Amino acid sequence: MAEILLFHHAQGLTPGVVAFADDLRAAGHTVHTPDLYEGNTYDSLDDGMDYARSAGFQTILERGVAAAEGLPDKLVYAGFSLGVMPAQQLAQNRSGAVAGLFIDAAMPPEEFGGAWPDGVRLQVHGMDADPWFAGEDLDAAKALVAGVDGAELFLYPGDQHLFADSSLAGHDAEATKLLTQRVLQFLDG
């Protein structure tokens, strides 16, 4: 079974992020869900992004990196949207990383110091018409996946950002079920 460090999105550590982590736990995986927002959650993506801007994206990234301290080296780093930032930083730079699992976002590897590390698996998920994902993030995801042996990019029909968070209005139950199946297969691989 995998040990996973799962980072929340810009609306905070919502019940939907916790529910996703609980689904992975129910399959036998160990999942850590640090709160990068110090207990704050937001009803809208815009409000959550305002908090991230005021706290500072670098601060959010540093909180994510600090969350890995004291955990084993062999981790899967996962994130939803904004949470991909610390997940990708750690997957690319922390010794012993097993895999990166990115939902609703991806960044060029140069953002975190260079090429994706050899032997670290990768899976990226997003909606094909999500205005937050379908532009630069999708281009980055395609380029990233193309450079990693065995990496996978899954696109789901729809325009919802954070579609896998069951506590938000944009939740897509059918897409989330398929995403969860693919994630569990990935974690068991």
Side-chain angles (χ1 to χ4, degrees):
M1 293 290 116
E3 188 159 357
I4 304 150
L5 184 55
L6 174 65
F7 296 105
H8 62 76
H9 49 70
Q11 288 181 244
L13 186 58
T14 63
V17 172
V18 173
F20 183 81
D22 286 343
D23 287 345
L24 302 182
R25 290 180 183 116
H29 302 287
T30 300
V31 185
H32 307 275
T33 53
D35 186 347
L36 306 180
Y37 273 23
E38 301 178 316
N40 297 302
T41 57
Y42 297 91
D43 292 333
S44 76
L45 189 55
D46 288 339
D47 289 345
M49 289 300 292
D50 286 345
Y51 172 82
R53 283 184 200 97
S54 68
F57 290 107
Q58 187 61 35
T59 297
I60 301 299
L61 179 62
E62 289 168 0
R63 289 175 185 170
V65 170
E69 293 174 11
L71 295 177
D73 290 341
K74 297 202 177 297
L75 290 173
V76 173
Y77 297 101
F80 285 93
S81 191
L82 179 71
V84 168
M85 188 173 62
Q88 190 166 342
Q89 165 73 23
L90 288 160
Q92 283 188 225
N93 294 294
R94 189 168 187 247
S95 177
V98 173
L101 173 61
F102 306 154
I103 303 167
D104 301 315
M107 290 170 240
E110 298 80 29
E111 292 286 326
F112 302 105
W116 190 261
D118 290 337
V120 177
R121 298 169 49 234
L122 174 65
Q123 193 176 72
V124 182
H125 301 263
M127 286 203 149
D128 61 3
D130 168 5
W132 289 81
F133 180 75
E136 291 179 21
D137 283 338
L138 180 54
D139 292 341
K142 288 177 179 178
L144 186 59
V145 166
V148 179
D149 287 339
E152 299 173 296
L153 170 61
F154 294 106
L155 296 176
Y156 304 84
D159 62 359
Q160 295 300 307
H161 193 60
L162 309 177
F163 70 95
D165 184 325
S166 61
S167 65
L168 301 179
H171 178 244
D172 184 317
E174 185 176 321
T176 301
K177 181 178 178 182
L178 182 56
L179 176 143
T180 304
Q181 290 170 351
R182 289 171 168 163
V183 166
L184 290 173
Q185 289 172 348
F186 177 72
L187 294 173
D188 291 340

